[in-house]
Amino acid sequence: ASPGNNAGVLSTEIQGIANFLITLFGLLAVVAFIASAAVLLLSVDESGKEKGKKGMLGSVVVLVIVFSSWAIINYVLGFQ
């Protein structure tokens, strides 16, 4: 067992854990987006509509960060 083989296994494990976390955060961001859209559509007053808009914008920002993280991790560790 050479050190190079262990590094490959470690890289694969790190990539697997990172991909799991990225998937989890992406799913949570989509759920938050849908919930914010529901708040926006169902609110009667302006403060509720503002909360919905801010929530949707925040969810989109999180999705962009999650996608960027996925791209960087897969580029650095190599596509599987």
Side-chain angles (χ1 to χ4, degrees), residues 37-51:
V39 168
L40 177 66
L41 291 174
L42 299 175
S43 62
V44 205
D45 57 349
E46 286 300 315
S47 68
K49 291 182 182 187
E50 277 302 312
K51 283 183 182 180

Side-chain angles (χ1 to χ4, degrees), residues 19-71:
N19 282 335
F20 171 75
L21 291 174
I22 288 170
T23 303
L24 180 66
F25 288 131
L27 179 64
L28 290 173
V30 169
V31 169
F33 183 86
I34 293 170
S36 297
V39 168
L40 177 66
L41 291 174
L42 299 175
S43 62
V44 205
D45 57 349
E46 286 300 315
S47 68
K49 291 182 182 187
E50 277 302 312
K51 283 183 182 180
K53 288 179 187 178
K54 287 182 181 180
M56 289 175 70
L57 179 62
S59 298
V60 169
V61 169
V62 169
L63 283 172
V64 168
I65 292 170
V66 164
F67 180 74
S68 300
S69 301
W70 174 83

